[in-house]
Amino acid sequence: FKQFLRFSVSPCMTISPEQYIDGLEWRYACKKFDPEARLEQPVWHALAESLRLSPSSLGLQLWKFVVVTNRELKARLREVSWNQSQVEDCSHYVVLCSRRSATRRDVDRYLAQIEFTRRPSAEKLASSAGFYTSYVEALTPEKMHAWLDCQVYIAVGFLLSAAAALRVDSCTIGGMDRAKYDEILGLDGTPYRSVVGVALGYRAKDDAYAREAKVRFPAGEVIDIRA
């Protein structure tokens, strides 16, 4: 983490492309965490900021990130996560939640933040309000749910990339009973619903998957450049 900071404190210095790719090569879906290894506060703060600073459609940030570090609560979530040990043994378990729906009130809340942060002209603010509101109100319930879930997965990508850069192990948990998650986390009756989890921590020394070669198709098969 100190090395990462050294590359980021100066606007003229960044982590090198080679270092970034090396982190991505190092990352894998951790199958067995060391239950005694905990994330240090500065490292967790950087990961939390990767969530907060993640992009979202229209910038509306229609999400909430529930962070579980309590072992008993993680054990309850493990029971409704196909008994995957990563949920209980990781240091920080992040449950990424989306809004159940988006309304004009959500647009107004974001516009108020824009006004507070950027002080735009009244004309520009009114134009944004009209565009954002018309977009949200045109979505059918089915498209609304798909759109809101997609926002959460953008944040998942940012979190996994940040974890790799910081050499923090991670595992995305999609096998979960979302209704039970909502019940356990007290989300029932709130504007939010659980979508996916990400376990964060440090791999156990005997996790054999850490030594497996990464299986990816060649770049030429998945990256189509139209120059």
Side-chain angles (χ1 to χ4, degrees):
F1 181 64
K2 290 180 179 178
Q3 183 184 25
F4 176 81
L5 284 181
R6 190 161 59 247
F7 284 108
S8 60
V9 291
S10 169
C12 298
M13 297 180 64
T14 62
I15 186 171
S16 73
E18 293 79 13
Q19 288 172 316
Y20 182 69
I21 293 173
D22 184 58
L24 297 182
E25 291 283 0
W26 171 88
R27 190 210 71 81
Y28 74 111
C30 183
K31 298 299 187 291
K32 187 176 182 180
F33 285 94
D34 178 351
E36 303 304 320
R38 316 301 297 173
L39 299 181
E40 295 183 354
Q41 183 55 34
V43 175
W44 164 246
H45 175 71
L47 294 173
E49 285 295 279
S50 78
L51 289 169
R52 188 180 70 87
L53 297 172
S54 294
S56 61
S57 180
L58 306 180
L60 292 175
Q61 304 160 67
L62 299 169
W63 50 36
K64 184 181 288 292
F65 310 115
V66 180
V67 184
V68 183
T69 59
N70 179 274
R71 187 66 180 266
E72 293 181 0
L73 186 54
K74 287 190 292 182
R76 291 180 62 194
L77 293 173
R78 174 179 178 173
E79 292 176 356
V80 293
S81 306
W82 299 357
N83 196 37
Q84 295 175 86
S85 64
Q86 300 98 312
V87 174
E88 183 177 2
D89 292 339
C90 68
S91 174
H92 290 57
Y93 186 54
V94 183
V95 181
L96 296 94
C97 307
S98 73
R99 289 295 298 259
R100 297 180 187 273
S101 64
T103 66
R104 173 63 185 269
R105 181 177 297 180
D106 296 305
V107 172
D108 289 344
R109 177 171 176 262
Y110 179 56
L111 292 174
Q113 191 67 24
I114 290 178
E115 186 174 19
F116 173 79
T117 305
R118 297 177 176 172
R119 304 296 183 187
S121 66
E123 293 77 11
K124 186 173 183 179
L125 200 62
S127 175
S128 297
F131 175 74
Y132 294 170
T133 301
S134 62
Y135 182 92
V136 169
E137 292 182 344
L139 293 172
T140 64
E142 294 77 13
K143 289 183 177 180
M144 174 73 75
H145 277 181
W147 178 63
L148 291 170
D149 282 2
C150 283
Q151 309 315 304
V152 167
Y153 281 99
I154 294 173
V156 169
F158 260 57
L159 177 59
L160 297 181
S161 182
L166 294 170
R167 292 300 193 275
V168 172
D169 286 298
S170 62
C171 184
T172 305
I173 305 294
M176 53 191 277
D177 186 329
R178 290 167 61 170
K180 290 293 185 182
Y181 264 56
D182 289 352
E183 178 184 334
I184 293 170
L185 297 174
L187 296 173
D188 287 337
T190 75
Y192 298 95
R193 59 190 178 92
S194 57
V195 176
V196 65
V198 175
L200 298 164
Y202 297 105
R203 65 190 68 176
K205 293 181 179 179
D206 60 345
D207 186 358
Y209 285 90
R211 296 183 290 276
E212 295 284 347
K214 189 178 295 295
V215 180
R216 294 293 187 274
F217 293 111
E221 292 187 22
V222 297
I223 300 175
D224 187 356
I225 299 176
R226 309 294 179 91

